[in-house]
Amino acid sequence: MIAAVVLAGDAALAQPVADTAAAAPVPDKGDTAWVMISAILVMMMTLPGLALFYGGLVRSRNVLSVLMQVLATFCVMAILWVVFGYSLAFTGAATAGDAGPLTPFIGGLSKAFMAGVNPGTVAESFSAGVFIPEYAFVIFQMAFACIAPSLIVGATAERMKFSAILAFVVIWFVFSYLPMAHMVWWWGGPSAHDAPSGYLFGHGALDFAGGTVIHINAGVAGLVAALVAGPRIGWGKELMAPHNLTFTLIGGCLLWIGWFGFNAGSNLEANGLTALAILNTAVATAAAALAWSFGEWIMRGHPSLLGGVSGAVAGLVGITPAAGFVGPMGAIAIGLVAGLACMWVVVTLKSRIGIDDSLDVFGIHGVGGIVGAILTGVFAAPSLGGSGVFDYAANAVADFDMGHQVYVQTLGVAICIAWSGVVSFVAIHLVRAVIGLRVATADERQGLDLTTHGENAYN
């Protein structure tokens, strides 16, 4: 339930609220400033945060290839977002009579190339009558659209062609990210709460900042791509240790700081709920980092820096769908479970299933997203310190049914896994047939930095 607030269609996002200029909605400058700062923080998560986090985890001969893949993916997605992505994710029928069979699953092209969007158009926040400029919402959602595909490149690091990576993430963005964003986040806003909405939003699925749309979605795509691409040469036989954990720590910490904009910015306002999301993001991440570290200490006899920063990212992922729905104690519980679950998948299960998910995209983002999404249905309960679910029709918090909410959350997880899995499977096979997935064996052994990009990270 992030920011889909803006549309039940063109009439809902920048709908004419009055015939006279005097009655036109005036965006709140404080809320506007917070959303734009949050968007910048989220963009920092990708560049340089995710790039450094991933770059430090690969071998020195491949660090530039990963940095370039993240950079190029960010740039491509930013362009696609303003050309047609925003329109497909956040437009649709304004009334039930206008809705068609695809309305709950994907938007239209009425705002392609930013048609109809200008400095005067507005988007409603989660409070009736509170607005921000539509451009601010476009920018904030663009940052999300850029980081989601960028997460995927870590799953196939050190072996896939640069052209194949770009082709795959573009197809996935169009057919998986945009429909999931529409299904989970698109609705009419408080002033048109009874208008058509996305499929999962209409079912009551809670996703404050992207547990399904971004993390499970990208995690499943990464798993499928890694499976089809096959393992790196020497995987399981040769040492493939991270070449620079200092980079990884810096990148991980940039992700953590940027995540405050990611989660708290998703409220679209600067108020008490925003502060709660910041607090939850801090304590859940701390709990997960400690859980992974102490779990590794018990299992392996040492708490590693790599484990600690991986646990922190697992906690960030876990709290993402729950950030504005649970209390601090619930956030800590989610962080602990996410940290331990992701540690077990990465440390134990990964080697058993034999899929070379190079930088543990599914093990951290996929698993952490699943844990967080389902536990949101538990800890959103007011009896456990959560905020419950607000009923806009009654203008009050509705009676909370934990069993039903967990079912709805699980439904959202299952649909996301299936949707992303099918799209990713088709996309990766299409790319393999047209372009080919792997670089030559000799190029992979020499390193992608030199063979693909013609340069070395260290001279």
Side-chain angles (χ1 to χ4, degrees):
M1 183 184 154
I2 178 183
V5 284
V6 289
L7 352 159
D10 297 333
L13 173 58
Q15 59 181 327
V17 293
D19 293 329
T20 62
V26 178
D28 182 277
K29 290 185 177 180
D31 295 335
T32 300
W34 169 244
V35 171
M36 291 191 294
I37 290 170
S38 295
I40 293 169
L41 288 171
V42 177
M43 285 186 269
M44 183 192 74
M45 290 171 63
T46 309
L47 302 172
L50 183 67
L52 286 174
F53 182 78
Y54 278 173
L57 290 173
V58 298
R59 290 167 289 181
S60 59
R61 62 179 183 260
N62 294 311
V63 56
L64 295 182
S65 70
V66 173
L67 298 180
M68 184 59 183
Q69 287 171 17
V70 173
L71 173 63
T73 299
F74 181 97
C75 295
V76 170
M77 296 308 150
I79 301 300
L80 295 183
W81 182 250
V82 298
V83 172
F84 62 80
Y86 174 68
S87 187
L88 287 175
F90 291 108
T91 66
T95 66
D98 297 330
L102 294 180
T103 296
F105 303 100
I106 195 67
L109 294 173
S110 58
K111 289 190 179 291
F113 300 97
M114 295 286 99
V117 182
N118 60 63
T121 56
V122 296
E124 192 175 25
S125 74
F126 291 105
S127 300
V130 178
F131 297 88
I132 60 173
E134 185 176 358
Y135 271 136
F137 182 73
V138 171
I139 295 166
F140 184 73
Q141 284 294 338
M142 182 186 76
F144 278 60
C146 289
I147 194 171
S150 299
L151 294 172
I152 300 172
V153 307
T156 56
E158 302 191 297
R159 60 194 185 277
M160 270 186 70
K161 294 179 180 179
F162 184 61
S163 57
I165 284 285
L166 293 182
F168 175 70
V169 296
V170 166
I171 296 171
W172 177 86
F173 171 76
V174 174
F175 294 100
S176 189
Y177 181 82
L178 295 179
M180 284 304 306
H182 185 84
M183 283 191 280
V184 175
W185 288 336
W186 175 69
W187 69 306
S191 296
H193 57 81
D194 56 349
S197 64
Y199 181 79
L200 289 173
F201 189 94
H203 276 73
L206 303 177
D207 189 352
F208 195 78
T212 51
V213 178
I214 294 174
H215 297 291
I216 300 175
N217 205 1
V220 170
L223 183 67
V224 172
L227 173 64
V228 176
R232 291 165 287 180
I233 295 173
W235 183 67
K237 300 176 182 179
E238 301 174 8
L239 181 64
M240 296 184 176
H243 92 283
N244 194 326
L245 285 178
T246 302
F247 279 5
T248 298
L249 176 65
I250 294 171
C253 291
L254 287 170
L255 283 168
W256 191 345
I257 299 304
W259 223 293
F260 292 121
F262 194 96
N263 284 351
S266 295
N267 189 42
L268 299 182
E269 299 178 43
N271 55 26
L273 183 59
T274 308
L276 174 64
I278 292 175
L279 179 59
N280 285 342
T281 302
V283 298
T285 307
L290 293 173
W292 189 308
S293 298
F294 279 91
E296 190 177 47
W297 201 350
I298 294 171
M299 291 178 61
R300 293 182 161 183
H302 56 263
S304 69
L305 173 64
L306 177 57
V309 70
S310 297
V313 176
L316 289 165
V317 173
I319 195 58
T320 291
F325 298 121
V326 305
M329 299 304 105
I332 292 173
I334 291 173
L336 290 172
V337 176
L340 292 174
C342 292
M343 181 202 69
W344 179 77
V345 171
V346 170
V347 173
T348 303
L349 183 62
K350 178 181 175 180
S351 60
R352 294 179 182 176
I353 62 177
I355 299 177
D356 183 15
D357 178 1
S358 305
L359 307 183
D360 299 309
V361 176
F362 179 77
I364 293 178
H365 294 276
V367 174
I370 291 170
V371 168
I374 294 175
L375 290 184
T376 298
V378 175
F379 291 103
S383 60
L384 296 177
S387 62
V389 180
F390 192 81
D391 184 347
Y392 283 93
N395 198 32
V397 176
D399 293 334
F400 191 83
D401 184 339
M402 185 184 296
H404 174 73
Q405 193 61 51
V406 170
Y407 161 75
V408 172
Q409 298 301 109
T410 305
L411 175 66
V413 168
I415 289 176
C416 185
I417 291 173
W419 194 289
S420 184
V422 171
V423 169
S424 302
F425 187 80
V426 173
I428 198 69
H429 279 86
L430 179 62
V431 172
R432 183 170 68 175
V434 176
I435 298 176
L437 298 180
R438 301 285 293 256
V439 298
T441 300
D443 291 349
E444 185 175 338
R445 289 198 177 278
Q446 189 174 359
L448 275 63
D449 289 1
L450 189 60
T451 59
T452 298
H453 303 288
E455 52 192 349
N456 292 308
Y458 308 103
N459 295 299

